[in-house]
Amino acid sequence: MKWFRPILFLLFFCALFPMAYSQELKAFVRINSDQIEGTNKDIYDELSNSLTEFINSRKWTDATFTEEERIECNFVITIDNVAGESYTGQLQVQASRPVFNSGYTTTLFNFLDQNFNFNYTQFQRFEFDENLYESNLLSTMAFYANIILGLHFDSFGRYGGSKYFEKAELIAALAQSSDDAGWKAFDSDRNRYALVSNYIDERLKRLRDVNYEYHRFGLDEMVNSVEKGRTVIYGLLPYLQEMNRSFPYSIGLQLFVEAKLNELLDMFKPATSKEKKEVYDILSSILPTQSTKFQELLN
């Protein structure tokens, strides 16, 4: 049974290194079709499974991820209207990041894309070329996959996500010639074009610095010293206020604060009254519509 030895060695090797070349994203795609009546619901299950496989099986980077390092993310497509093979609705995208040496995960990205339309045929094969714009469905998914990767790598290394923001920018540029909603330059300050423009804008580069320092020197340090980590994050908040004054309603800035909102409120509950007041003033200036929520800091 000489043939048995190499197979045994292979199994042993796989047991030692089970996911040495695992894909980067651990995504789940859900289709909400509650508003659509009288249609074949099986098609939504198939679409959900096909998109989940598309995102999870594709190699998006040249980096090596273990199974535990894969980036957890969720895509929820809510369909409002169906006309033949054309679908319109909304897309909620959320991604999280583990905090070093802890069981805690922090929200990295949470965005509602309110203008999402696509065509889909049952049993359709998904083939994607990042240098071409052929499918709004796949281009949109790839766009957000790269945004998530950009933010993830930025949170571990200063400007580490540049390559992925550039890929997202290319996808948005290729989509400019289409009539699909969500891509047009200057159509909206909260569409896909505006989103990636924020992340590549040199004038907003400090936001990427804050993203890096918040995670690496703030959250990741809290396992050793909560006070030290909180002090670092407290020192970053004035930069957010400064950016808000220079670039009011910046989508990148607002999304960062929205993602960290509950975390910041919990983090500064034990702070001094002076610190709480400063945190309240900064957060409410960036997200004035949620100032009532920040009020709990002052109570």
Side-chain angles (χ1 to χ4, degrees):
M1 299 182 69
K2 294 181 179 180
W3 56 270
F4 183 72
R5 290 182 181 178
I7 292 177
L8 186 62
F9 175 78
L10 180 62
L11 292 173
F12 177 72
F13 181 84
C14 290
L16 285 178
F17 307 100
M19 289 292 178
Y21 300 100
S22 178
Q23 267 60 37
E24 305 88 348
L25 301 180
K26 188 176 183 179
F28 178 69
V29 181
R30 184 168 70 87
I31 312 296
N32 180 351
S33 60
D34 292 347
Q35 299 182 51
I36 308 301
E37 297 180 359
T39 58
N40 177 14
K41 297 293 183 178
D42 290 343
I43 194 171
Y44 301 120
D45 292 335
E46 180 197 313
L47 177 58
S48 171
N49 294 334
S50 296
L51 286 175
T52 299
E53 183 180 359
F54 167 70
I55 296 170
N56 289 342
S57 63
R58 185 178 177 86
K59 196 78 173 74
W60 299 96
T61 77
D62 55 4
T64 300
F65 278 64
T66 65
E67 177 65 21
E68 293 74 20
E69 292 171 335
R70 294 177 71 189
I71 306 165
E72 294 189 5
C73 47
N74 293 287
F75 298 75
V76 180
I77 300 172
T78 300
I79 298 175
D80 300 326
N81 187 57
V82 180
E85 296 173 352
S86 298
Y87 300 80
T88 58
Q90 300 179 339
L91 171 62
Q92 182 84 43
V93 185
Q94 185 272 338
S96 58
R97 173 199 189 277
V99 172
F100 181 71
N101 250 4
S102 76
Y104 179 73
T105 59
T106 180
T107 301
L108 197 62
F109 183 67
N110 190 9
F111 180 59
L112 177 62
D113 188 326
Q114 295 182 309
N115 291 291
F116 185 42
N117 62 282
F118 62 93
N119 294 324
Y120 177 69
T121 306
Q122 193 168 16
F123 310 122
Q124 176 181 332
R125 289 186 61 189
F126 286 162
E127 296 179 356
F128 177 71
D129 185 336
E130 63 184 15
N131 296 305
L132 298 173
Y133 184 80
E134 298 177 311
S135 163
N136 189 48
L137 176 61
L138 297 188
S139 287
T140 300
M141 292 294 168
F143 173 84
Y144 285 115
N146 280 294
I147 292 291
I148 290 168
L149 288 165
L151 292 170
H152 177 85
F153 280 99
D154 262 13
S155 77
F156 283 100
R158 199 179 299 275
Y159 314 131
S162 295
K163 180 192 301 185
Y164 308 104
F165 291 135
E166 290 167 3
K167 287 185 176 183
E169 181 191 21
L170 174 61
I171 293 170
L174 291 170
Q176 292 300 299
S177 60
S178 78
D179 294 326
D180 294 317
W183 298 111
K184 293 298 183 185
F186 314 115
D187 252 11
S188 165
D189 58 4
R190 287 186 73 87
N191 69 1
R192 285 163 233 140
Y193 178 89
L195 179 63
V196 72
S197 295
N198 264 220
Y199 293 131
I200 63 174
D201 192 331
E202 285 293 319
R203 298 171 300 171
L204 284 164
K205 204 167 187 178
R206 186 61 180 130
L207 179 59
R208 295 177 64 189
D209 285 316
V210 170
N211 179 34
Y212 169 63
E213 293 168 24
Y214 181 100
H215 290 98
R216 287 298 292 120
F217 305 131
L219 290 185
D220 286 347
E221 283 295 324
M222 284 189 171
V223 68
N224 298 317
S225 171
V226 172
E227 187 60 36
K228 182 180 177 182
R230 187 171 62 207
T231 299
V232 168
I233 290 172
Y234 178 68
L236 294 173
L237 296 182
Y239 292 108
L240 298 178
Q241 187 176 45
E242 182 183 327
M243 279 185 281
N244 188 53
R245 288 170 179 160
S246 301
F247 305 97
Y249 310 114
S250 157
I251 182 175
L253 175 59
Q254 289 186 336
L255 288 177
F256 179 83
V257 176
E258 286 172 0
K260 304 303 180 185
L261 184 53
N262 291 329
E263 191 169 82
L264 288 168
L265 293 178
D266 288 340
M267 190 183 303
F268 285 98
K269 279 179 181 176
T272 65
S273 297
K274 177 178 178 293
E275 288 174 333
K276 288 180 179 180
K277 179 63 167 60
E278 289 179 358
V279 172
Y280 170 83
D281 290 342
I282 292 171
L283 295 182
S284 59
S285 69
I286 298 172
L287 297 176
T289 58
Q290 299 194 45
S291 58
T292 304
K293 186 170 186 177
F294 309 143
Q295 192 70 36
E296 67 184 69
L297 270 176
L298 306 180
N299 296 336

